[in-house]
Structures are given as structure tokens and as C-alpha cells.
Amino acid sequence: MPKVSDDRLAARRAEILDAARRAFARHGFEGATVRVLEAETGLSRGAIFHHFRDKEALFLALAEDDAARTAEVVARAGLVQVMRDLRDKDAGWLGVQLEVRRRLRTDPAFAASWAERQSAVAEATRERLERQRAAGVVRDDVPVAVLADFLRLVLDGLVSARAAGLPPDALDGVLDLVEDAVRRPRSTPSQRSADPSLA
Amino acid sequence: MPKVSDDRLAARRAEILDAARRAFARHGFEGATVRVLEAETGLSRGAIFHHFRDKEALFLALAEDDAARTAEVVARAGLVQVMRDLRDKDAGWLGVQLEVRRRLRTDPAFAASWAERQSAVAEATRERLERQRAAGVVRDDVPVAVLADFLRLVLDGLVSARAAGLPPDALDGVLDLVEDAVRRPRSTPSQRSADPSLA
């Protein structure tokens, strides 16, 4: 019954990823030694590295999962929704994001290989902004590329701020402002808040 | 002639700070060993540590200089001007900012002692936003605290993006959008661009 076996392998893989995320969050990437990963997963190194070639492969799998999920949320609900979802992200998720950002600055090989993943999110953002502009929701007096740059910068700032301890409750007001900034202007501010949330 | 001597000491101190900034930018804080600092300053460790107790004191002096200058720019021209000035910041300046952010996340003692410096920038931001609101320039339908949070997040995102290689030319469009977001709404978009730049 290969189906069951596949499900089992996938479940085990997901378990290892969750445990690795906790380990990276608690100890940092460097500090999450193979011994730490064994303790966190409850598995031997042999079992872990049956699923992932090495610690680097584990980290990349986490970062790629997150990028794929982000691209899905962007396509469905926009980059501002990704920002709203930061309310519920834990230290594990934020830790992976920070490690990705650190490597983009310090590791040219990673930065080059990562460009492809980033472009999926960038493309989903642009497509959604163009659809929302055609629907009359997004402002048309600023190029879509500028709106996309703006949203990505705010997301980066929010990830840093959440990682530095910004309470989730502080997000709402800021995100209303961000959404308002990309929205088509209305004649009065009170009308704005009645618009659907579509950036 | 104590005056000349004071000037000389101040000039030497500034020279050491500039060289240390270059060394931190090139090698990171950990990699900027005392030997690297000697090579970059052209001074002996004795001469360097006559002015600064240790490498940590050097880093803190740089970070405090930057925070004091930021607070001055905010008081005079607003936090958006600090963002526009990111055009001209080099790897040395960005490196110190990133090291500050890294420590805020990873070093609780630093985070506590730094809170005081951050509050000078936060207070200057709030005061300026309140003045500009009273002058009818800044929007009055969103609390000043939310506008200040928003601007700080964008600044954080911009510092990360510049450090990751965002070209300075990409800043202008985004910053017009940011300024527009905190500005009092006008009846037409075209009138907005004629407003003075005052966020």
C-alpha cells in the first residue's frame, strides 16, 4: 500500500520540520546543533537525515514552505493579509524569516538561489494589485511596481518589529493605514473605511 | 592651550569612530578584531583604547551618534526626511543600524539600555507629527501614535532593504507614497502632490 506509506513519510517530514523550526527559534541556526535537533524531534540523526540531507536542507525546506504559503495568501487575499497574519506568527516562523533576511545580506549564493522564490511572491503581488486596480479598488495614480515595493518594505519592517517584541495589537491601526495608502482615494475619509479590504 | 588639545582629542576620536565604522561594515562586529581595528585606524590598540574603553564602547558610541543625528533630523524635517537621507547612507552606517537591530532581538541588556536612545527619536517624531497636525498638514483621522508606528516600521523596512541591496533610486516613489499616507487628505490626488513635504 504505497499510499499509506507516502502519507506516513509526509507526516514524518512535517513533524521534523515543526521540530526544526522550534529548535531554530530557540537556539538560532548556528546553535541548533544536530544534538539539539535530535532532542527536539525525538528522533535519531539517522532518521532526521533520511528525510533531509543536512541542517541546511532543513532550513531551506522551512523557508521554501513559508515562501510558497505567502505567495498563496498574496494571490488569494493580498500582501496586507500576509501582514495581518503576522498577529498569529510565533517565534519559530519569525526566526526563519530573520534568518532568510540575514542570509540575503551576507550569503551571495543564498541570495541568488532565493531570488526565484521571492519572484513568486513578487509576481503574485503585482498580479493582485493589477486585478484590484482594474476593479477600481487600488489607486491608479502610482505605478504598481511602487505600490509593490511599498508593501514589501512594510512587511519587512513588520517582521523585524514583531521579532523585536511589537505586540500583535499594535498591528491593526498601522495596517489600516497601509491599506488606505494603496487604495483608490475617496472624497471623504469616512467613506474610505467602508471600502472592502482588498490591497 | 587646553582648547587646541580638546579639538585634537575630538578630531582623533572622530577619526577612530570613522575607521571603526568601516571595519564593522567590512568584517561585521565579531570579525572586526582589535588587529583589524588597528589596521583600519592606523593606530595602536593603546591609542584606540585611550579613547574608548573597548570594542563594545566603540560600537555604542557609533550607535549613539547615529541615534542623536536621527533625532535632530526628525525634529527639524521629520522621519520621512530620515528615510530620504537613506539614499546617501553607506555600508558603514547601514551595518551599525543592522547590528543595533540584531542586538535589540538577541541581547536583553542592550535592548533595555537602548530604550532611552530610541525614546528620543520617538518623542521627536511624536512632537513633529503633532505640530504638523496642528498646522493642518498631517491627517487628523488617525492617532499620532499609529502614524509614528507606521513611519518607524517603514524606516526599519527601508534600512533592511537598502542593506540587502535596494538601489537608492527605488526610494523616491515609495517615500512619496509614505508621505501621502500620513498627510491630510485632499479632494483630488493632483492637489496632493502640490502640498509641502512635511511628514
Side-chain angles (χ1 to χ4, degrees):
Chain A
M1 292 172 72
K3 180 67 173 58
V4 170
S5 172
D6 281 1
D7 284 356
R8 267 195 186 159
L9 278 173
R12 172 56 59 91
R13 191 177 179 280
E15 269 172 41
I16 296 173
L17 284 175
D18 284 349
R21 198 190 283 279
R22 289 194 299 274
F24 292 150
R26 201 168 304 158
H27 304 278
F29 182 76
E30 304 304 333
T33 59
V34 171
R35 196 164 300 187
V36 165
L37 290 170
E38 286 181 319
E40 195 71 54
T41 56
L43 299 171
S44 70
R45 59 193 69 198
I48 297 171
F49 297 124
H50 173 68
H51 291 266
F52 298 93
R53 204 180 60 231
D54 50 21
K55 196 170 86 168
E56 179 69 14
L58 257 175
F59 167 74
L60 288 177
L62 286 171
E64 286 174 11
D65 277 5
D66 291 346
R69 258 171 235 165
T70 297
E72 276 167 31
V73 174
V74 169
R76 196 179 67 242
L79 205 54
V80 174
Q81 186 58 48
V82 175
M83 299 180 202
R84 295 202 186 274
D85 291 348
L86 285 176
R87 263 189 163 285
D88 307 318
K89 298 298 187 189
D90 60 12
W93 189 90
L94 291 165
V96 170
Q97 292 297 309
L98 294 173
E99 178 66 16
V100 167
R101 283 160 174 70
R102 192 182 72 74
R103 289 183 180 211
L104 287 174
R105 286 195 305 272
T106 58
D107 179 346
F110 176 79
S113 79
W114 193 247
E116 213 176 307
R117 268 86 196 178
Q118 289 190 297
S119 74
V121 175
E123 200 172 317
T125 302
R126 195 173 39 69
E127 278 175 10
R128 181 166 172 93
L129 284 168
E130 276 164 7
R131 277 202 312 278
Q132 296 300 89
R133 170 176 288 188
V137 178
V138 161
R139 62 194 295 171
D140 56 9
D141 58 338
V142 172
V144 159
V146 172
L147 297 175
D149 278 351
F150 168 71
L151 291 175
R152 212 180 46 230
L153 287 171
V154 174
L155 176 59
D156 265 21
L158 281 169
V159 168
S160 304
R162 284 284 287 127
L166 180 83
D169 287 348
L171 288 178
D172 293 341
V174 170
L175 291 182
D176 289 345
L177 195 62
V178 170
E179 200 151 46
D180 198 49
V182 300
R183 210 178 280 162
R184 193 184 184 83
R186 302 284 156 167
S187 48
T188 66
S190 62
Q191 273 178 273
R192 292 185 186 206
S193 55
D195 283 350
S197 169
L198 286 166
Chain B
M1 293 172 71
K3 180 67 173 61
V4 170
S5 173
D6 282 359
D7 283 357
R8 266 194 187 160
L9 278 173
R12 172 56 57 91
R13 190 177 180 281
E15 269 172 42
I16 296 173
L17 284 175
D18 284 349
R21 197 189 284 277
R22 288 193 302 274
F24 291 149
R26 202 169 303 158
H27 304 279
F29 182 77
E30 304 303 333
T33 58
V34 171
R35 198 165 296 188
V36 165
L37 290 170
E38 286 183 318
E40 194 71 55
T41 56
L43 298 171
S44 71
R45 60 193 70 198
I48 297 169
F49 296 123
H50 173 66
H51 292 265
F52 298 93
R53 203 181 62 231
D54 50 22
K55 198 170 85 167
E56 179 69 13
L58 257 175
F59 166 73
L60 289 177
L62 286 171
E64 285 173 11
D65 277 6
D66 291 346
R69 259 171 233 164
T70 297
E72 276 168 31
V73 174
V74 169
R76 196 177 68 241
L79 205 54
V80 175
Q81 187 58 46
V82 174
M83 299 180 201
R84 295 202 185 275
D85 291 348
L86 285 176
R87 265 191 163 283
D88 307 317
K89 298 299 187 187
D90 60 12
W93 189 90
L94 291 165
V96 170
Q97 293 295 310
L98 293 175
E99 178 67 17
V100 167
R101 282 159 174 70
R102 192 181 71 75
R103 289 182 181 212
L104 287 174
R105 285 195 303 272
T106 58
D107 180 346
F110 176 79
S113 79
W114 193 248
E116 215 175 306
R117 269 86 196 177
Q118 288 190 298
S119 74
V121 175
E123 199 171 320
T125 302
R126 195 172 40 69
E127 278 175 10
R128 184 168 172 91
L129 284 168
E130 275 164 7
R131 278 203 310 281
Q132 296 300 89
R133 170 177 285 187
V137 177
V138 161
R139 63 194 297 170
D140 56 9
D141 58 338
V142 173
V144 160
V146 172
L147 297 174
D149 278 351
F150 168 71
L151 292 174
R152 212 180 46 229
L153 287 171
V154 174
L155 176 58
D156 265 22
L158 281 168
V159 168
S160 304
R162 284 282 288 126
L166 180 83
D169 287 348
L171 289 177
D172 292 340
V174 170
L175 292 182
D176 289 345
L177 195 62
V178 170
E179 201 151 45
D180 197 49
V182 299
R183 212 178 278 161
R184 193 186 182 83
R186 301 287 157 167
S187 49
T188 68
S190 63
Q191 271 178 274
R192 294 186 185 207
S193 55
D195 284 348
S197 169
L198 284 167

